[in-house]
Amino acid sequence: MKIRVQKFGGTSVATSERRERVVHHIRQALNEGCRVVAVVSAMGRKGDPYATDTLLDLVSENGESLSSREHDLLLSCGEIISASTLSSLLNREGIPNVVLTGGQAGIITNNRHTNAQILTINPTRVKNELEKGKVVVLAGFQGKTTDGEITTLGRGGSDTTATALGVAIEADIVDIFTDVEGIMTADPRIVEDASPLDAVTYSEICNLAFQGAKVIHPRAVELAMQTNVPIRVRSTMSDHPGTLVSSTHEKNQLAGEVSDRLITGITQVANVTQIKVPAGEGQYDLQLKVFKAMSENDISVDFININPSGVIYTVFDHEADQAEKILRSMDLTPSLMSGCAKVSVVGAGIAGVPGVMSKIAEALTEEDIPILQSADSHTTIWVLVPGENMVQAVRSLHRKFGLHKVQMMY
Ligand code: ASP
Ligand code: MG
């Protein structure tokens, strides 16, 4: 029995026109001979009548008066309304189906209300319904505790429902339907000729922050990665096959000339401040003092570089003033550069391949863009550039690595 999990996010079920597209995609999967579990989010975004944020607004006027247990009862309704609505559309089409809440689908969580973690899934009920030939319409973002209390999985948790259930029922593929055509080579608002990628690896999607994190919840990717269940990120509004997320890099390399696909995508994070703290003569414990102080004040640090002449790191702009005050109160003399941008060059194929950094340096030098700092891992090279150069940096790297030439494979 080939099982397909299809997850439809809030925007995908927001209007009746879109819900017709959902029915279309379900029918398509049935026609391909799959049994289907359709996981749905609450309909629409803030302001839409049954969206999660709208439900929250109902009680937020009353201060913090709702306990977290009742908060979960309230929020779980959004997904149940969405699932029931979809059920009626499937009935109209003569497609047998059954709606299950997270708890009814055997999703057992811990009791951390509002941000519960899935402990186990007993997929018996879902499997039985599928064997009866029914589409299982599953309310996303929720589960129940062993005591039967309803819980929710944290914002964006329907993705986790989909991949966790996909793992539990050994789905062939988990489709995440959303409002973009897939994972893009770059942010299309910055790079005009950015295109959807045919395939990426799990680790690449994690590094394509925040683009990756925006289209699919990182926890959902992590779950799929542990068990190798392939995910496809695709658009509800089209029949475009979207981006396949899996563990192998081979598909990536097939998608274009091999050299082109060394790099998968370029992403950026704006509004970061670089902090340089010079070390005093013979001062060897500077890093300890600095990072302990940052940690005690809950300031998260990134891009850390330690050498005998001092410590360099970044924080988000909005925490820079606080960080500076703390450092000065310790009699240190930091220099800060705010409004920088962290540009990431992501590609699972870069490990051990010479010349990637040189190409990055070439692209940026040609445009007179200074590199303030850099770091690398086996799938990513990060460079810190002045904020005013961010757009130009992303564009020139996109061009330099031939990403504008990536062709989709159908
Ligand atoms: N409806 C929930 C939220 O808005 C869960 C989800 O959409 O994944 O966070
Ligand atoms: Mg989402």
Side-chain angles (χ1 to χ4, degrees):
M1 180 165 77
K2 229 168 60 173
I3 305 176
R4 176 91 43 96
V5 175
Q6 300 183 308
K7 182 257 170 178
F8 299 96
T11 52
S12 300
V13 287
T15 62
S16 59
E17 185 203 1
R18 282 162 187 250
R19 292 191 287 272
E20 295 299 339
R21 291 294 302 172
V22 170
V23 174
H24 162 82
H25 288 296
I26 292 174
R27 190 184 293 109
Q28 198 100 321
L30 292 171
N31 289 345
E32 286 169 27
C34 300
R35 303 288 167 94
V36 177
V37 178
V39 177
V40 291
S41 290
M43 299 190 282
R45 291 276 173 267
K46 196 175 175 73
D48 294 327
Y50 311 108
T52 303
D53 283 304
T54 310
L55 299 176
L56 278 171
D57 282 347
L58 278 176
V59 294
S60 63
E61 298 161 4
N62 313 333
E64 298 288 305
S65 61
L66 197 65
S67 71
S68 59
R69 177 185 174 276
E70 279 70 22
H71 171 112
D72 276 352
L73 284 173
L74 173 67
L75 289 199
S76 65
C77 296
E79 269 67 15
I80 297 173
I81 291 169
S82 184
S84 309
T85 307
L86 178 57
S87 171
S88 75
L89 285 175
L90 294 174
N91 288 339
R92 185 201 64 194
E93 298 297 305
I95 299 173
N97 67 89
V98 58
V99 173
L100 298 179
T101 64
Q104 288 168 341
I107 299 175
I108 305 297
T109 73
N110 62 14
N111 61 4
R112 275 196 21 220
H113 282 287
T114 76
N115 197 17
Q117 212 121 23
I118 298 176
L119 299 176
T120 55
I121 297 183
N122 175 357
T124 311
R125 172 89 190 263
V126 173
K127 281 187 170 163
N128 286 345
E129 300 291 359
L130 291 176
E131 266 159 28
K132 283 188 230 159
K134 289 186 185 173
V135 169
V136 172
V137 184
L138 175 55
F141 171 60
Q142 53 180 271
K144 70 172 181 194
T145 66
T146 46
D147 300 334
E149 296 286 354
I150 290 177
T151 52
T152 62
L153 306 179
R155 298 308 303 270
S158 294
D159 291 340
T160 307
T161 302
T163 54
L165 194 89
V167 168
I169 58 175
E170 293 165 39
D172 284 24
I173 208 157
V174 175
D175 277 338
I176 303 286
F177 282 93
T178 175
D179 50 4
V180 292
E181 296 265 290
I183 308 292
M184 308 288 286
T185 53
D187 184 341
R189 288 166 306 180
I190 290 187
V191 181
E192 216 176 60
D193 52 12
S195 52
L197 287 153
D198 174 63
V200 298
T201 66
Y202 297 117
S203 87
E204 283 174 327
I205 203 176
C206 292
N207 278 316
L208 287 167
F210 285 91
Q211 192 206 155
K214 233 173 54 191
V215 289
I216 178 166
H217 198 289
R219 203 196 282 178
V221 177
E222 209 168 288
L223 268 171
M225 178 162 67
Q226 281 165 15
T227 48
N228 260 325
V229 172
I231 298 173
R232 265 187 317 194
V233 175
R234 33 187 316 199
S235 163
T236 312
M237 294 313 285
S238 81
D239 286 329
H240 193 291
T243 304
L244 179 70
V245 189
S246 67
S247 59
T248 57
H249 188 52
E250 280 118 55
K251 280 242 158 66
N252 292 9
Q253 294 187 320
L254 287 174
E257 291 166 42
V258 171
S259 62
D260 284 351
R261 291 308 311 274
L262 194 58
I263 299 304
T264 307
I266 316 291
T267 58
Q268 74 290 328
V269 177
N271 304 322
V272 297
T273 296
Q274 185 191 46
I275 303 182
K276 289 186 182 171
V277 192
E281 201 41 46
Q283 184 177 21
Y284 299 115
D285 62 348
L286 179 66
Q287 61 274 13
L288 175 64
K289 279 188 176 159
V290 168
F291 294 121
K292 199 164 169 231
M294 294 299 117
S295 132
E296 280 167 1
N297 287 279
D298 252 349
I299 298 177
S300 75
V301 297
D302 193 18
F303 240 129
I304 299 157
N305 205 300
I306 300 171
N307 62 54
S309 63
V311 183
I312 306 176
Y313 63 101
T314 61
V315 299
F316 281 113
D317 280 349
H318 66 91
E319 290 179 322
D321 280 350
Q322 196 198 351
E324 184 175 14
K325 268 193 206 121
I326 293 164
L327 294 168
R328 294 209 180 276
S329 76
M330 294 161 67
D331 276 337
L332 297 168
T333 48
S335 58
L336 285 81
M337 183 165 173
S338 64
C340 298
K342 183 181 173 183
V343 176
S344 319
V345 178
V346 180
I350 65 174
V353 176
V356 180
M357 188 60 208
S358 133
K359 244 177 152 176
I360 293 174
E362 201 177 286
L364 299 181
T365 311
E366 279 164 6
E367 307 271 339
D368 286 328
I369 300 172
I371 299 178
L372 305 171
Q373 231 179 300
S374 78
D376 65 282
S377 78
H378 66 295
T379 56
T380 305
I381 295 177
W382 295 273
V383 290
L384 190 70
V385 300
E388 69 260 27
N389 296 126
M390 179 183 83
V391 168
Q392 202 188 353
V394 172
R395 285 182 185 156
S396 69
L397 289 165
H398 196 262
R399 212 175 317 116
K400 180 62 87 181
F401 286 102
L403 293 172
H404 56 291
K405 284 187 285 187
V406 172
Q407 291 297 313
M408 292 298 303
M409 289 205 322
Y410 291 93

